[in-house]
C-alpha cells in the first residue's frame, strides 16, 4: 500500500481556524489563507472558536497571548475534542517558554511576531502534509491488520483442510474407520457445550477431535486392522501415535490448545493411560473430553475384530470406569448428550 499524492486533501477541503484577539491580524491571516485556497475562518474569541470546533477542522493557527485564555490552553482543550487537529502557535519574539510548550503539545511549528505571510504559508503546508501522512499511516496499519487477519485465516483453513484430508485418506484404509474423526470431533464439542465450556476451548476441542489420530500416519495397515492381540512392538507403535500427532501439530501454533488435547486424549485419571501416564488434574479438561469422546465413538463403531456396541451397553461400560478412567462429571455430560438424560451437569469454570 503506497501513498497516492492525489489523495492528499485539496486546500478547499482543509478547514483552518485562525484565532487572535487582534481582529485585524486574524482577518489578515484568514484572507491570505483563503487566497491560497483554504477554507479559513477568523476568530477573536478562543471560547467561540472552541464552540465551533468540529472533527473536520484540520488546523488551528493560534496567537498565544490572549486575555481570555492562552493559545496553549486553547490547544489543550481543542485536542480533547479533536485529537487529530494540527496547530501552529504564534508567539512573541523571545517567548521561549511558549515555543517549548507548543512543541511539547505536538505543534508542527511555532511562529514569532511579526509573522511573514511566506512563513505562515510554509508552516500551514507542513502541518497539513504531516496530518495527511499520519492519516495514511493509520490507514496503512489498518490495512496491514486486515491482511494479517486474512492471511492467518487462510493458513488456518488450508492447514486444517490439509490435515483433515490426510486423515480421511488414513481412515479409508480400514472401511470401519471412515468418519471416525468427524464423529469424535462432534461428540467432543457436544460434551464441551453440555459442560458450559467457552467458545475458544470448544473450537480447540473440536479441532483436536478431528486431528486426534493424525499420528496414526506412521502405523501400518496390518497393525491398525489386526484382529488378534497386539504384541509389545505393535502396542508401542499404537501408543506412540499421540506423541507423533502432537509433534506433527507442533508448528501449527494457531491451533491453540488442540495440540495438547491430541497428546493427552489417551491419558486416564488413574495414570493407566499414555503416553505420559498422567493422573487426575494433570490431564487438561480438553484432553479428558476428547479422550472420552474417542472412547465412546470407538466402542459404538464396527471394528474388524468386533461388532459395534449398542448405546445403552456402551454407556454402561464407560460408566464402569467412572473415577478410574473418566470423571463422573464428564460421563454425566456424555450421558446427557447421547442418551438424553434429564440430569443436570455442573458448568466447568
Amino acid at each position: 500500500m503506497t501513498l497516492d499524492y492525489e489523495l492528499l486533501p485539496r486546500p478547499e477541503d482543509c478547514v483552518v481556524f485562525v484565532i487572535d484577539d487582534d481582529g485585524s491580524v486574524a482577518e489578515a491571516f484568514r484572507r491570505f489563507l483563503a487566497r491560497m485556497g483554504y477554507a479559513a475562518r477568523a476568530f477573536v474569541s478562543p471560547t467561540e472558536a472552541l464552540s465551533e470546533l468540529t472533527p473536520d477542522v484540520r488546523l488551528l493557527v493560534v496567537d498565544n497571548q490572549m486575555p481570555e485564555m492562552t493559545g496553549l490552553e486553547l490547544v489543550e482543550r481543542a485536542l480533547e475534542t479533536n485529537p487529530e487537529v494540527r496547530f501552529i502557535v504564534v508567539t512573541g519574539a523571545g517567548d521561549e517558554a511558549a515555543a517549548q510548550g507548543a512543541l511539547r503539545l505536538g505543534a508542527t511549528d511555532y511562529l514569532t511576531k511579526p509573522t511573514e505571510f511566506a512563513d505562515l504559508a510554509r508552516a500551514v503546508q507542513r502541518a497539513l502534509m504531516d496530518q495527511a501522512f499520519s492519516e495514511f499511516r493509520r490507514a496503512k496499519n489498518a490495512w496491514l491488520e486486515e491482511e494479517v487477519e486474512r492471511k492467518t485465516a487462510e493458513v488456518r483453513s488450508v492447514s486444517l483442510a490439509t490435515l483433515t484430508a490426510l486423515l480421511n485418506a488414513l481412515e479409508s484404509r480400514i472401511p470401519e474407520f471412515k468418519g471416525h474423526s468427524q464423529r469424535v470431533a462432534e461428540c467432543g464439542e457436544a460434551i464441551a457445550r453440555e459442560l458450559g465450556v467457552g467458545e475458544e476451548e470448544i473450537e480447540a476441542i473440536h479441532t483436536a477431535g478431528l486431528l486426534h489420530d493424525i499420528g496414526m500416519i506412521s502405523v501400518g495397515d496390518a497393525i491398525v486392522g489386526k484382529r488378534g492381540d497386539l504384541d509389545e512392538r505393535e502396542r508401542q507403535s499404537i501408543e506412540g501415535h499421540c506423541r507423533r500427532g502432537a509433534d506433527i501439530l507442533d508448528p501449527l501454533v494457531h491451533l491453540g490448545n488442540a495440540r495438547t488435547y491430541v497428546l493427552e486424549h489417551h491419558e486416564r485419571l488413574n495414570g493407566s493411560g499414555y503416553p505420559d501416564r498422567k493422573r487426575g488434574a494433570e490431564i487438561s479438561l480438553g484432553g479428558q473430553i476428547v479422550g472420552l469422546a474417542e472412547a465412546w465413538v470407538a466402542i459404538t463403531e464396527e471394528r474388524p475384530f468386533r461388532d459395534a456396541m449398542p448405546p445403552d451397553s456402551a454407556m454402561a461400560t464407560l460408566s464402569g470406569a467412572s473415577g478410574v478412567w473418566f470423571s463422573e462429571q464428564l460421563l454425566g455430560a456424555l450421558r446427557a448428550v447421547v442418551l438424553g438424560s434429564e440430569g443436570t451437569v455442573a458448568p466447568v469454570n
Side-chain angles (χ1 to χ4, degrees):
M1 182 180 184
T2 58
L3 176 62
D4 185 346
Y5 285 89
E6 292 183 358
L7 297 179
L8 293 175
R10 298 173 300 176
E12 60 268 28
D13 296 328
C14 296
V15 180
V16 181
F17 279 10
V18 179
I19 306 104
D20 194 313
D21 62 311
D22 185 334
S24 61
V25 173
E27 181 60 19
F29 280 8
R30 185 201 68 78
R31 288 181 177 179
F32 173 73
L33 294 173
R35 286 198 300 272
M36 292 182 65
Y38 298 113
R41 295 181 59 187
F43 297 86
V44 295
S45 166
T47 302
E48 183 184 356
L50 286 171
S51 70
E52 296 286 326
L53 188 65
T54 57
D56 66 335
V57 177
R58 288 181 169 269
L59 178 65
L60 307 177
V61 180
V62 298
D63 179 32
N64 190 51
Q65 294 300 325
M66 295 183 289
E68 195 174 330
M69 69 178 71
T70 68
L72 295 182
E73 290 171 339
L74 183 152
V75 165
E76 287 181 330
R77 292 176 59 179
L79 289 171
E80 294 174 0
T81 303
N82 184 353
E84 303 305 323
V85 73
R86 294 299 189 269
F87 56 94
I88 299 166
V89 177
V90 182
T91 69
D95 191 352
E96 292 297 324
Q100 291 175 6
L103 294 176
R104 280 196 301 271
L105 285 175
T108 52
D109 269 300
Y110 66 90
L111 301 173
T112 57
K113 292 183 177 181
T115 305
E116 298 290 336
F117 284 148
D119 293 333
L120 175 62
R122 284 191 292 269
V124 168
Q125 289 168 343
R126 281 194 297 267
L128 293 174
M129 182 65 76
D130 177 73
Q131 186 181 59
F133 270 97
S134 179
E135 291 173 351
F136 167 73
R137 285 191 295 270
R138 285 196 301 274
K140 182 178 181 180
N141 288 339
W143 176 79
L144 287 172
E145 289 176 4
E146 291 176 1
E147 282 292 288
V148 168
E149 289 180 5
R150 184 175 65 81
K151 291 295 185 184
T152 299
E154 287 179 2
V155 169
R156 288 180 176 178
S157 176
V158 169
S159 59
L160 188 56
T162 301
L163 291 171
T164 302
L166 178 59
L167 275 170
N168 290 337
L170 288 172
E171 290 178 356
S172 68
R173 298 184 300 177
I174 309 294
E176 291 85 355
F177 280 87
K178 187 172 179 59
H180 170 79
S181 295
Q182 183 63 44
R183 287 189 287 273
V184 172
E186 292 172 356
C187 182
E189 178 177 339
I191 293 171
R193 290 193 183 281
E194 183 69 23
L195 290 168
V197 173
E199 286 299 321
E200 186 174 342
E201 277 297 280
I202 287 174
E203 182 180 354
I205 288 166
H206 183 93
T207 300
L210 281 176
L211 304 179
H212 72 281
D213 272 346
I214 191 68
M216 294 290 283
I217 190 171
S218 60
V219 180
D221 292 2
I223 298 175
V224 174
K226 187 173 181 179
R227 295 177 179 275
D229 293 336
L230 300 176
D231 61 30
E232 181 61 20
R233 181 189 63 81
E234 292 167 338
R235 185 185 62 78
Q236 289 180 358
S237 179
I238 289 288
E239 292 189 0
H241 85 276
C242 298
R243 195 173 302 283
R244 285 192 296 271
D247 289 343
I248 290 170
L249 301 182
D250 198 45
L252 306 179
V253 294
H254 62 274
L255 296 183
N257 290 329
R259 177 196 177 278
T260 298
Y261 304 158
V262 168
L263 178 66
E264 295 179 343
H265 77 277
H266 276 292
E267 301 287 1
R268 299 294 181 253
L269 294 181
N270 66 349
S272 64
Y274 56 84
D276 296 317
R277 303 296 188 262
K278 291 182 177 181
R279 290 177 170 270
E282 294 176 347
I283 311 168
S284 66
L285 177 64
Q288 294 181 52
I289 290 174
V290 176
L292 178 57
E294 196 278 335
W296 168 262
V297 170
I299 63 175
T300 55
E301 290 177 333
E302 293 280 346
R303 287 290 181 267
F305 45 85
R306 61 162 173 78
D307 293 332
M309 192 176 289
D312 288 343
S313 300
M315 196 70 245
T317 297
L318 293 179
S319 295
S322 176
V324 181
W325 281 10
F326 309 109
S327 77
E328 181 54 39
Q329 184 186 28
L330 266 65
L331 285 165
L334 174 65
R335 198 175 293 114
V337 166
V338 300
L339 300 181
S341 170
E342 296 180 359
T344 58
V345 178
V348 175
N349 296 323

